[in-house]
Amino acid sequence: MKKGNQKRLYILGGAALLGIVAIVYALNIMKGTEEENTEEVKKEYRVIPYPTQNYDREKVNEVRGVILHHTALPTIERSLEVLTLPENKVSSHCLIDTDGTRYILCEPRVVAFHAGRSILNGREQCNEFTIGVEFQGNTVETPLTDDQINSAIEYLLPILDEYKIPLDSIVTHEKVRLDFMAKYPEKTWIKDKCDITPVEYERVMKALRKAKAFRDAKVPQ
């Protein structure tokens, strides 16, 4: 073979090899991006069973909605104490700390004592058909952390699927309390309760809608 032809073959071979390397590199970049996105969705927060004694032993929760709360208490230890000591007669299903750790106080089908005097979708006694989710802290003073919101989504998505709960049946304690007050304005003793703010509620719902849409898009129809 002449030296000129041999040189051209070397050049063509080198170009082809570089092309293959570039394709492999690009594929690895795409795969890495996909894995990062998948990892973001699949991030799992720590879950700690922390049973409460405060629940109705004679009824079963119908699980038709979700009520969001904040504890308005300074520490997670104090919140757990309040939600579990029998003498307090209050509880919830899930408490989410600022780092995203979830404390499971009772299962969804348990009737917990979190809503009090309340109305959702025209129905009273919300404890009997809703799940209570508590965020550690006071949203009037400090916003929810991203970990709290992401952990709430991780907790809620399977429940929404299992019990066919529509997103518009996820509300704040303030909402069900005000609906009760509108029907019974004479019951002034339930006014002025501090709870999760509208701004933080919208943050939760925006993130939940986005996560649900992303998840649903990946599920084969």
Side-chain angles (χ1 to χ4, degrees), residues 48-63:
I48 300 176
Y50 206 99
T52 183
Q53 297 300 309
N54 303 331
Y55 62 92
D56 193 324
R57 289 158 176 78
E58 298 180 356
K59 297 178 181 178
V60 176
N61 197 321
E62 297 178 28
V63 194

Side-chain angles (χ1 to χ4, degrees), residues 33 38 79 107 113 175 195 203 214:
T33 302
T38 302
S79 296
E107 295 302 311
F113 305 143
K175 172 69 166 60
D195 219 313
R203 283 184 64 211
F214 181 83

Side-chain angles (χ1 to χ4, degrees), residues 117-131:
R117 300 289 192 271
S118 52
I119 294 178
L120 174 61
N121 297 330
R123 181 177 173 183
E124 298 184 35
Q125 303 296 331
C126 292
N127 286 339
E128 298 180 4
F129 62 96
T130 64
I131 292 173

Side-chain angles (χ1 to χ4, degrees), residues 4 19 58 65 77 83 94 138 175 178 185-186 194 200 218:
E58 298 180 356
E77 292 79 12
L83 291 169
C94 177
N138 188 335
K175 172 69 166 60
L178 290 177
E186 71 278 9
C194 171
E200 293 308 293
K218 298 190 69 170

